[in-house]
Amino acid sequence: MGANDSGGDTSRPPVVSASGPTVADVGEQALINRLTAMSTRAAADLPADSDRLLIGPGDDAAVIAMASDLIVSTDSLVQDRHFRLQWSTPEAIGRRAAIQSAADIAAMGGRVSALVVSIACPPTTAVDWVLAVNRGLNEAAVAVGARVVGGDVVSADQIVLTVTVFGSTDGRAAVPVSGARVGDRLAVSGPLGSSAAGLALLMAGRAQSYPDLVAAHRVPIVDLAAGVVAAEHGAHAMTDVSDGLGAELETMARASGVSMDVVAASIPMAHGLVEAGADLGVDPSGWAIGGGEDHQLLAAFDGAPPAGWTVIGSVGARDERRPVRIDGSAPAVPGWRSF
């Protein structure tokens, strides 16, 4: 199982109960006005030269000044599929939604410029809960030099956050997943396995034992500036580790028409992963190889990677039967599957 929360526990009603007014009480326009004001205040913390917004929240659409190629990606988080209300604060859910979408821009070697957010929720959802989600979204956006420039609020039976993110390459060519070449070195930008381990600990009722791993499941801990650094360093191919390292390696290998050879012992594991695995009777390498949602970056370089990256293997000739080999064998953990 991937790091996504796919436990299917629906014992909690698909609404957010709290004191205070609900979204139905205040109405759509009043809620949007409060969300917009929050985004505008958060953007005040951005450096003046990073804000490219010409027309912002409150209009029919935002207008953003772009100096180079536009990069666009979108992603959704669904209640009880990707997060559980009893396991994450609304701020953490918002930050997670923003970071995992921004990681797609980083994986192309780009910088994030703006985010548009759609929040679907039951009418009984507390206004304060929605505002807290928006606060987390804005905090994460500003942390990567971007801002929330608009979105939508809609009634639904369960909570769904959809984030569309925009970025640019600053004049460089974007880094595709399909560019790996024979002889390249494979490297990752940070440790893997923390999100999957955090989910396993939550499901086992052991969250207090390894708080750092659980925190990393709730909100990815990743330096997305590594994507720009990799692009400037001449990365041939890149992607973020959202579906598990094994799955991302296979995607890159097939898209590039090559094969990937990885040494398991070289894969950097999150701090505490080995100990958590021993406590739960789980091989921690399964979390690192198949867990996903760490959103670290995987890239192929012609030569040594940038400082801070860890070489985990190399690129070889095309092999349709076994496009990915870890210690000579196909990965035992397939990675996350949405359906």
Side-chain angles (χ1 to χ4, degrees), residues 264-314:
S266 67
I267 300 171
M269 292 191 184
H271 178 71
L273 206 70
V274 173
E275 294 81 359
D279 281 356
L280 297 184
V282 175
D283 181 356
S285 66
W287 290 330
I289 296 170
E293 287 201 338
D294 294 304
H295 296 290
Q296 301 292 350
L297 303 178
L298 165 70
F301 297 94
D302 179 15
W309 288 67
T310 302
V311 174
I312 62 170
S314 60

mmCIF file of all heavy atoms in Angstrom, residues 264-314:
data_model
loop_
_atom_site.group_PDB
_atom_site.id
_atom_site.type_symbol
_atom_site.label_atom_id
_atom_site.label_comp_id
_atom_site.label_asym_id
_atom_site.label_seq_id
_atom_site.Cartn_x
_atom_site.Cartn_y
_atom_site.Cartn_z
ATOM 1 N N ALA A 264 20.023 -1.067 -3.247
ATOM 2 C CA ALA A 264 19.091 -0.810 -2.148
ATOM 3 C C ALA A 264 19.762 -0.106 -0.973
ATOM 4 O O ALA A 264 19.186 0.807 -0.367
ATOM 5 C CB ALA A 264 18.449 -2.114 -1.696
ATOM 6 N N ALA A 265 20.972 -0.507 -0.648
ATOM 7 C CA ALA A 265 21.666 0.059 0.515
ATOM 8 C C ALA A 265 21.997 1.538 0.323
ATOM 9 O O ALA A 265 22.275 2.242 1.302
ATOM 10 C CB ALA A 265 22.939 -0.722 0.793
ATOM 11 N N SER A 266 21.967 2.011 -0.924
ATOM 12 C CA SER A 266 22.293 3.414 -1.182
ATOM 13 C C SER A 266 21.089 4.332 -1.064
ATOM 14 O O SER A 266 21.246 5.557 -1.063
ATOM 15 C CB SER A 266 22.896 3.550 -2.582
ATOM 16 O OG SER A 266 21.922 3.259 -3.579
ATOM 17 N N ILE A 267 19.883 3.771 -0.968
ATOM 18 C CA ILE A 267 18.673 4.596 -0.877
ATOM 19 C C ILE A 267 18.617 5.248 0.501
ATOM 20 O O ILE A 267 18.584 4.547 1.519
ATOM 21 C CB ILE A 267 17.408 3.747 -1.104
ATOM 22 C CG1 ILE A 267 17.441 3.098 -2.496
ATOM 23 C CG2 ILE A 267 16.154 4.600 -0.945
ATOM 24 C CD1 ILE A 267 16.336 2.079 -2.713
ATOM 25 N N PRO A 268 18.622 6.569 0.579
ATOM 26 C CA PRO A 268 18.594 7.225 1.896
ATOM 27 C C PRO A 268 17.233 7.052 2.560
ATOM 28 O O PRO A 268 16.195 7.304 1.955
ATOM 29 C CB PRO A 268 18.866 8.694 1.570
ATOM 30 C CG PRO A 268 18.385 8.864 0.157
ATOM 31 C CD PRO A 268 18.648 7.549 -0.527
ATOM 32 N N MET A 269 17.242 6.583 3.792
ATOM 33 C CA MET A 269 16.002 6.373 4.537
ATOM 34 C C MET A 269 15.823 7.463 5.590
ATOM 35 O O MET A 269 16.798 7.955 6.155
ATOM 36 C CB MET A 269 16.013 5.006 5.218
ATOM 37 C CG MET A 269 15.958 3.827 4.270
ATOM 38 S SD MET A 269 15.662 2.281 5.169
ATOM 39 C CE MET A 269 15.769 1.088 3.813
ATOM 40 N N ALA A 270 14.573 7.802 5.833
ATOM 41 C CA ALA A 270 14.259 8.815 6.832
ATOM 42 C C ALA A 270 14.731 8.377 8.212
ATOM 43 O O ALA A 270 14.764 7.190 8.530
ATOM 44 C CB ALA A 270 12.752 9.076 6.854
ATOM 45 N N HIS A 271 15.101 9.359 9.038
ATOM 46 C CA HIS A 271 15.555 9.078 10.396
ATOM 47 C C HIS A 271 14.458 8.365 11.182
ATOM 48 O O HIS A 271 13.295 8.782 11.180
ATOM 49 C CB HIS A 271 15.924 10.380 11.106
ATOM 50 C CG HIS A 271 16.366 10.194 12.516
ATOM 51 N ND1 HIS A 271 17.587 9.616 12.848
ATOM 52 C CD2 HIS A 271 15.752 10.494 13.698
ATOM 53 C CE1 HIS A 271 17.705 9.584 14.156
ATOM 54 N NE2 HIS A 271 16.610 10.100 14.697
ATOM 55 N N GLY A 272 14.806 7.275 11.839
ATOM 56 C CA GLY A 272 13.860 6.514 12.642
ATOM 57 C C GLY A 272 13.135 5.427 11.878
ATOM 58 O O GLY A 272 12.377 4.650 12.472
ATOM 59 N N LEU A 273 13.378 5.330 10.573
ATOM 60 C CA LEU A 273 12.642 4.363 9.744
ATOM 61 C C LEU A 273 12.977 2.927 10.136
ATOM 62 O O LEU A 273 12.081 2.081 10.257
ATOM 63 C CB LEU A 273 12.962 4.593 8.268
ATOM 64 C CG LEU A 273 11.890 4.146 7.277
ATOM 65 C CD1 LEU A 273 10.678 5.061 7.380
ATOM 66 C CD2 LEU A 273 12.428 4.159 5.846
ATOM 67 N N VAL A 274 14.251 2.655 10.342
ATOM 68 C CA VAL A 274 14.674 1.295 10.689
ATOM 69 C C VAL A 274 14.085 0.884 12.031
ATOM 70 O O VAL A 274 13.564 -0.235 12.197
ATOM 71 C CB VAL A 274 16.209 1.196 10.705
ATOM 72 C CG1 VAL A 274 16.653 -0.169 11.227
ATOM 73 C CG2 VAL A 274 16.772 1.427 9.308
ATOM 74 N N GLU A 275 14.136 1.780 13.003
ATOM 75 C CA GLU A 275 13.612 1.469 14.335
ATOM 76 C C GLU A 275 12.091 1.262 14.286
ATOM 77 O O GLU A 275 11.558 0.348 14.926
ATOM 78 C CB GLU A 275 13.948 2.601 15.300
ATOM 79 C CG GLU A 275 15.437 2.771 15.576
ATOM 80 C CD GLU A 275 16.186 3.541 14.513
ATOM 81 O OE1 GLU A 275 15.544 3.944 13.503
ATOM 82 O OE2 GLU A 275 17.399 3.740 14.673
ATOM 83 N N ALA A 276 11.384 2.105 13.525
ATOM 84 C CA ALA A 276 9.935 1.951 13.409
ATOM 85 C C ALA A 276 9.579 0.633 12.735
ATOM 86 O O ALA A 276 8.626 -0.050 13.135
ATOM 87 C CB ALA A 276 9.339 3.123 12.621
ATOM 88 N N GLY A 277 10.363 0.259 11.728
ATOM 89 C CA GLY A 277 10.132 -1.012 11.068
ATOM 90 C C GLY A 277 10.299 -2.185 12.012
ATOM 91 O O GLY A 277 9.496 -3.127 12.006
ATOM 92 N N ALA A 278 11.336 -2.127 12.849
ATOM 93 C CA ALA A 278 11.571 -3.196 13.825
ATOM 94 C C ALA A 278 10.422 -3.281 14.825
ATOM 95 O O ALA A 278 9.974 -4.366 15.186
ATOM 96 C CB ALA A 278 12.895 -2.958 14.546
ATOM 97 N N ASP A 279 9.921 -2.127 15.257
ATOM 98 C CA ASP A 279 8.817 -2.113 16.225
ATOM 99 C C ASP A 279 7.531 -2.695 15.646
ATOM 100 O O ASP A 279 6.764 -3.363 16.347
ATOM 101 C CB ASP A 279 8.552 -0.690 16.701
ATOM 102 C CG ASP A 279 9.554 -0.236 17.754
ATOM 103 O OD1 ASP A 279 10.405 -1.060 18.152
ATOM 104 O OD2 ASP A 279 9.486 0.935 18.177
ATOM 105 N N LEU A 280 7.282 -2.428 14.352
ATOM 106 C CA LEU A 280 6.047 -2.890 13.735
ATOM 107 C C LEU A 280 6.209 -4.228 13.000
ATOM 108 O O LEU A 280 5.240 -4.756 12.456
ATOM 109 C CB LEU A 280 5.520 -1.836 12.750
ATOM 110 C CG LEU A 280 5.116 -0.485 13.331
ATOM 111 C CD1 LEU A 280 4.528 0.405 12.244
ATOM 112 C CD2 LEU A 280 4.139 -0.639 14.483
ATOM 113 N N GLY A 281 7.440 -4.758 13.000
ATOM 114 C CA GLY A 281 7.688 -6.011 12.298
ATOM 115 C C GLY A 281 7.595 -5.868 10.793
ATOM 116 O O GLY A 281 7.135 -6.783 10.090
ATOM 117 N N VAL A 282 8.039 -4.724 10.279
ATOM 118 C CA VAL A 282 7.962 -4.415 8.855
ATOM 119 C C VAL A 282 9.361 -4.126 8.317
ATOM 120 O O VAL A 282 10.171 -3.482 8.996
ATOM 121 C CB VAL A 282 7.053 -3.186 8.623
ATOM 122 C CG1 VAL A 282 7.060 -2.761 7.156
ATOM 123 C CG2 VAL A 282 5.630 -3.486 9.072
ATOM 124 N N ASP A 283 9.651 -4.591 7.105
ATOM 125 C CA ASP A 283 10.912 -4.265 6.452
ATOM 126 C C ASP A 283 10.850 -2.801 6.014
ATOM 127 O O ASP A 283 10.049 -2.448 5.135
ATOM 128 C CB ASP A 283 11.122 -5.166 5.238
ATOM 129 C CG ASP A 283 12.438 -4.886 4.512
ATOM 130 O OD1 ASP A 283 13.155 -3.939 4.902
ATOM 131 O OD2 ASP A 283 12.736 -5.612 3.538
ATOM 132 N N PRO A 284 11.653 -1.919 6.591
ATOM 133 C CA PRO A 284 11.545 -0.491 6.270
ATOM 134 C C PRO A 284 11.881 -0.162 4.825
ATOM 135 O O PRO A 284 11.472 0.881 4.314
ATOM 136 C CB PRO A 284 12.534 0.164 7.245
ATOM 137 C CG PRO A 284 13.515 -0.917 7.574
ATOM 138 C CD PRO A 284 12.720 -2.189 7.581
ATOM 139 N N SER A 285 12.614 -1.053 4.153
ATOM 140 C CA SER A 285 12.926 -0.781 2.750
ATOM 141 C C SER A 285 11.656 -0.763 1.903
ATOM 142 O O SER A 285 11.600 -0.094 0.863
ATOM 143 C CB SER A 285 13.912 -1.815 2.202
ATOM 144 O OG SER A 285 13.326 -3.104 2.149
ATOM 145 N N GLY A 286 10.629 -1.481 2.343
ATOM 146 C CA GLY A 286 9.360 -1.443 1.631
ATOM 147 C C GLY A 286 8.734 -0.060 1.666
ATOM 148 O O GLY A 286 8.131 0.389 0.684
ATOM 149 N N TRP A 287 8.863 0.635 2.796
ATOM 150 C CA TRP A 287 8.361 2.006 2.893
ATOM 151 C C TRP A 287 9.166 2.933 1.980
ATOM 152 O O TRP A 287 8.605 3.792 1.326
ATOM 153 C CB TRP A 287 8.473 2.510 4.331
ATOM 154 C CG TRP A 287 7.532 1.848 5.287
ATOM 155 C CD1 TRP A 287 6.294 1.333 5.013
ATOM 156 C CD2 TRP A 287 7.739 1.651 6.695
ATOM 157 N NE1 TRP A 287 5.712 0.834 6.157
ATOM 158 C CE2 TRP A 287 6.573 1.007 7.211
ATOM 159 C CE3 TRP A 287 8.781 1.942 7.574
ATOM 160 C CZ2 TRP A 287 6.444 0.660 8.552
ATOM 161 C CZ3 TRP A 287 8.642 1.609 8.913
ATOM 162 C CH2 TRP A 287 7.487 0.972 9.393
ATOM 163 N N ALA A 288 10.476 2.743 1.957
ATOM 164 C CA ALA A 288 11.340 3.622 1.168
ATOM 165 C C ALA A 288 11.168 3.394 -0.335
ATOM 166 O O ALA A 288 11.226 4.344 -1.121
ATOM 167 C CB ALA A 288 12.801 3.414 1.563
ATOM 168 N N ILE A 289 10.944 2.149 -0.736
ATOM 169 C CA ILE A 289 10.852 1.823 -2.164
ATOM 170 C C ILE A 289 9.431 1.930 -2.699
ATOM 171 O O ILE A 289 9.205 2.367 -3.827
ATOM 172 C CB ILE A 289 11.415 0.407 -2.425
ATOM 173 C CG1 ILE A 289 12.910 0.365 -2.093
ATOM 174 C CG2 ILE A 289 11.177 -0.031 -3.868
ATOM 175 C CD1 ILE A 289 13.502 -1.032 -2.077
ATOM 176 N N GLY A 290 8.451 1.561 -1.879
ATOM 177 C CA GLY A 290 7.083 1.503 -2.373
ATOM 178 C C GLY A 290 6.115 2.458 -1.741
ATOM 179 O O GLY A 290 4.952 2.523 -2.152
ATOM 180 N N GLY A 291 6.545 3.210 -0.719
ATOM 181 C CA GLY A 291 5.603 4.014 0.049
ATOM 182 C C GLY A 291 5.067 5.232 -0.665
ATOM 183 O O GLY A 291 3.871 5.444 -0.773
ATOM 184 N N GLY A 292 5.929 6.063 -1.183
ATOM 185 C CA GLY A 292 5.506 7.264 -1.876
ATOM 186 C C GLY A 292 5.098 8.394 -0.955
ATOM 187 O O GLY A 292 5.144 8.299 0.273
ATOM 188 N N GLU A 293 4.715 9.507 -1.586
ATOM 189 C CA GLU A 293 4.237 10.725 -0.942
ATOM 190 C C GLU A 293 5.277 11.445 -0.085
ATOM 191 O O GLU A 293 4.927 12.322 0.698
ATOM 192 C CB GLU A 293 2.960 10.470 -0.133
ATOM 193 C CG GLU A 293 1.753 10.253 -1.024
ATOM 194 C CD GLU A 293 0.433 10.492 -0.325
ATOM 195 O OE1 GLU A 293 0.387 10.418 0.909
ATOM 196 O OE2 GLU A 293 -0.542 10.756 -1.025
ATOM 197 N N ASP A 294 6.539 11.088 -0.236
ATOM 198 C CA ASP A 294 7.587 11.907 0.384
ATOM 199 C C ASP A 294 7.821 13.154 -0.456
ATOM 200 O O ASP A 294 8.279 14.172 0.047
ATOM 201 C CB ASP A 294 8.888 11.115 0.511
ATOM 202 C CG ASP A 294 8.761 9.962 1.484
ATOM 203 O OD1 ASP A 294 8.398 10.205 2.645
ATOM 204 O OD2 ASP A 294 9.010 8.809 1.082
ATOM 205 N N HIS A 295 7.588 13.040 -1.769
ATOM 206 C CA HIS A 295 7.753 14.134 -2.725
ATOM 207 C C HIS A 295 9.182 14.641 -2.822
ATOM 208 O O HIS A 295 9.415 15.786 -3.235
ATOM 209 C CB HIS A 295 6.770 15.271 -2.435
ATOM 210 C CG HIS A 295 5.342 14.853 -2.608
ATOM 211 N ND1 HIS A 295 4.799 14.577 -3.850
ATOM 212 C CD2 HIS A 295 4.359 14.594 -1.706
ATOM 213 C CE1 HIS A 295 3.544 14.200 -3.708
ATOM 214 N NE2 HIS A 295 3.249 14.189 -2.420
ATOM 215 N N GLN A 296 10.152 13.787 -2.428
ATOM 216 C CA GLN A 296 11.529 14.059 -2.789
ATOM 217 C C GLN A 296 11.648 13.912 -4.308
ATOM 218 O O GLN A 296 10.766 13.348 -4.969
ATOM 219 C CB GLN A 296 12.472 13.085 -2.084
ATOM 220 C CG GLN A 296 12.399 13.097 -0.580
ATOM 221 C CD GLN A 296 12.924 14.381 0.052
ATOM 222 O OE1 GLN A 296 13.520 15.222 -0.619
ATOM 223 N NE2 GLN A 296 12.698 14.542 1.353
ATOM 224 N N LEU A 297 12.731 14.415 -4.878
ATOM 225 C CA LEU A 297 12.894 14.379 -6.326
ATOM 226 C C LEU A 297 13.850 13.263 -6.735
ATOM 227 O O LEU A 297 14.838 12.989 -6.039
ATOM 228 C CB LEU A 297 13.414 15.722 -6.833
ATOM 229 C CG LEU A 297 12.545 16.933 -6.479
ATOM 230 C CD1 LEU A 297 13.185 18.207 -6.993
ATOM 231 C CD2 LEU A 297 11.141 16.773 -7.031
ATOM 232 N N LEU A 298 13.527 12.611 -7.835
ATOM 233 C CA LEU A 298 14.368 11.593 -8.461
ATOM 234 C C LEU A 298 14.836 12.152 -9.791
ATOM 235 O O LEU A 298 14.011 12.630 -10.583
ATOM 236 C CB LEU A 298 13.568 10.310 -8.677
ATOM 237 C CG LEU A 298 14.165 9.268 -9.637
ATOM 238 C CD1 LEU A 298 15.411 8.627 -9.035
ATOM 239 C CD2 LEU A 298 13.117 8.215 -9.996
ATOM 240 N N ALA A 299 16.144 12.099 -10.044
ATOM 241 C CA ALA A 299 16.662 12.676 -11.285
ATOM 242 C C ALA A 299 17.811 11.844 -11.842
ATOM 243 O O ALA A 299 18.449 11.068 -11.120
ATOM 244 C CB ALA A 299 17.118 14.119 -11.050
ATOM 245 N N ALA A 300 18.052 12.035 -13.138
ATOM 246 C CA ALA A 300 19.169 11.374 -13.832
ATOM 247 C C ALA A 300 20.161 12.445 -14.267
ATOM 248 O O ALA A 300 19.775 13.424 -14.927
ATOM 249 C CB ALA A 300 18.655 10.604 -15.036
ATOM 250 N N PHE A 301 21.418 12.268 -13.896
ATOM 251 C CA PHE A 301 22.466 13.248 -14.179
ATOM 252 C C PHE A 301 23.601 12.617 -14.975
ATOM 253 O O PHE A 301 23.955 11.447 -14.750
ATOM 254 C CB PHE A 301 23.057 13.805 -12.876
ATOM 255 C CG PHE A 301 22.088 14.565 -12.022
ATOM 256 C CD1 PHE A 301 21.391 13.924 -10.995
ATOM 257 C CD2 PHE A 301 21.878 15.922 -12.216
ATOM 258 C CE1 PHE A 301 20.508 14.619 -10.187
ATOM 259 C CE2 PHE A 301 20.992 16.627 -11.411
ATOM 260 C CZ PHE A 301 20.301 15.978 -10.390
ATOM 261 N N ASP A 302 24.185 13.399 -15.841
ATOM 262 C CA ASP A 302 25.397 12.979 -16.547
ATOM 263 C C ASP A 302 26.588 13.383 -15.683
ATOM 264 O O ASP A 302 27.193 14.436 -15.883
ATOM 265 C CB ASP A 302 25.462 13.659 -17.922
ATOM 266 C CG ASP A 302 26.716 13.265 -18.694
ATOM 267 O OD1 ASP A 302 27.366 12.275 -18.307
ATOM 268 O OD2 ASP A 302 27.035 13.950 -19.686
ATOM 269 N N GLY A 303 26.910 12.524 -14.707
ATOM 270 C CA GLY A 303 27.976 12.837 -13.773
ATOM 271 C C GLY A 303 27.427 13.009 -12.369
ATOM 272 O O GLY A 303 26.291 12.635 -12.071
ATOM 273 N N ALA A 304 28.226 13.595 -11.504
ATOM 274 C CA ALA A 304 27.838 13.731 -10.105
ATOM 275 C C ALA A 304 26.652 14.684 -9.961
ATOM 276 O O ALA A 304 26.573 15.699 -10.664
ATOM 277 C CB ALA A 304 29.019 14.256 -9.287
ATOM 278 N N PRO A 305 25.719 14.377 -9.061
ATOM 279 C CA PRO A 305 24.567 15.262 -8.839
ATOM 280 C C PRO A 305 24.970 16.471 -8.001
ATOM 281 O O PRO A 305 26.093 16.532 -7.485
ATOM 282 C CB PRO A 305 23.589 14.363 -8.088
ATOM 283 C CG PRO A 305 24.481 13.441 -7.316
ATOM 284 C CD PRO A 305 25.652 13.175 -8.214
ATOM 285 N N PRO A 306 24.079 17.419 -7.806
ATOM 286 C CA PRO A 306 24.385 18.577 -6.955
ATOM 287 C C PRO A 306 24.590 18.149 -5.501
ATOM 288 O O PRO A 306 24.194 17.056 -5.086
ATOM 289 C CB PRO A 306 23.131 19.455 -7.091
ATOM 290 C CG PRO A 306 22.425 18.964 -8.300
ATOM 291 C CD PRO A 306 22.748 17.511 -8.422
ATOM 292 N N ALA A 307 25.184 19.031 -4.734
ATOM 293 C CA ALA A 307 25.367 18.782 -3.305
ATOM 294 C C ALA A 307 24.009 18.556 -2.650
ATOM 295 O O ALA A 307 23.027 19.226 -2.970
ATOM 296 C CB ALA A 307 26.071 19.973 -2.660
ATOM 297 N N GLY A 308 23.973 17.596 -1.738
ATOM 298 C CA GLY A 308 22.743 17.289 -1.041
ATOM 299 C C GLY A 308 21.959 16.148 -1.659
ATOM 300 O O GLY A 308 21.065 15.594 -1.011
ATOM 301 N N TRP A 309 22.260 15.797 -2.894
ATOM 302 C CA TRP A 309 21.603 14.672 -3.549
ATOM 303 C C TRP A 309 22.385 13.391 -3.261
ATOM 304 O O TRP A 309 23.589 13.432 -3.003
ATOM 305 C CB TRP A 309 21.529 14.889 -5.053
ATOM 306 C CG TRP A 309 20.538 15.931 -5.478
ATOM 307 C CD1 TRP A 309 20.605 17.274 -5.236
ATOM 308 C CD2 TRP A 309 19.340 15.713 -6.223
ATOM 309 N NE1 TRP A 309 19.524 17.910 -5.776
ATOM 310 C CE2 TRP A 309 18.715 16.979 -6.397
ATOM 311 C CE3 TRP A 309 18.732 14.581 -6.758
ATOM 312 C CZ2 TRP A 309 17.520 17.131 -7.096
ATOM 313 C CZ3 TRP A 309 17.536 14.738 -7.459
ATOM 314 C CH2 TRP A 309 16.943 15.993 -7.619
ATOM 315 N N THR A 310 21.711 12.244 -3.315
ATOM 316 C CA THR A 310 22.335 10.954 -3.045
ATOM 317 C C THR A 310 22.215 10.056 -4.275
ATOM 318 O O THR A 310 21.102 9.808 -4.753
ATOM 319 C CB THR A 310 21.656 10.250 -1.857
ATOM 320 O OG1 THR A 310 21.740 11.086 -0.697
ATOM 321 C CG2 THR A 310 22.331 8.911 -1.565
ATOM 322 N N VAL A 311 23.349 9.576 -4.763
ATOM 323 C CA VAL A 311 23.350 8.647 -5.904
ATOM 324 C C VAL A 311 22.848 7.291 -5.429
ATOM 325 O O VAL A 311 23.323 6.747 -4.429
ATOM 326 C CB VAL A 311 24.759 8.511 -6.510
ATOM 327 C CG1 VAL A 311 24.781 7.434 -7.600
ATOM 328 C CG2 VAL A 311 25.220 9.851 -7.085
ATOM 329 N N ILE A 312 21.860 6.729 -6.162
ATOM 330 C CA ILE A 312 21.292 5.433 -5.774
ATOM 331 C C ILE A 312 21.452 4.376 -6.856
ATOM 332 O O ILE A 312 21.156 3.196 -6.621
ATOM 333 C CB ILE A 312 19.793 5.561 -5.426
ATOM 334 C CG1 ILE A 312 18.988 6.028 -6.637
ATOM 335 C CG2 ILE A 312 19.598 6.500 -4.238
ATOM 336 C CD1 ILE A 312 17.481 5.945 -6.454
ATOM 337 N N GLY A 313 21.944 4.765 -8.036
ATOM 338 C CA GLY A 313 22.086 3.772 -9.095
ATOM 339 C C GLY A 313 22.464 4.412 -10.410
ATOM 340 O O GLY A 313 22.949 5.548 -10.456
ATOM 341 N N SER A 314 22.218 3.675 -11.490
ATOM 342 C CA SER A 314 22.632 4.137 -12.810
ATOM 343 C C SER A 314 21.620 3.717 -13.872
ATOM 344 O O SER A 314 20.740 2.881 -13.630
ATOM 345 C CB SER A 314 24.008 3.561 -13.160
ATOM 346 O OG SER A 314 23.964 2.140 -13.162
#
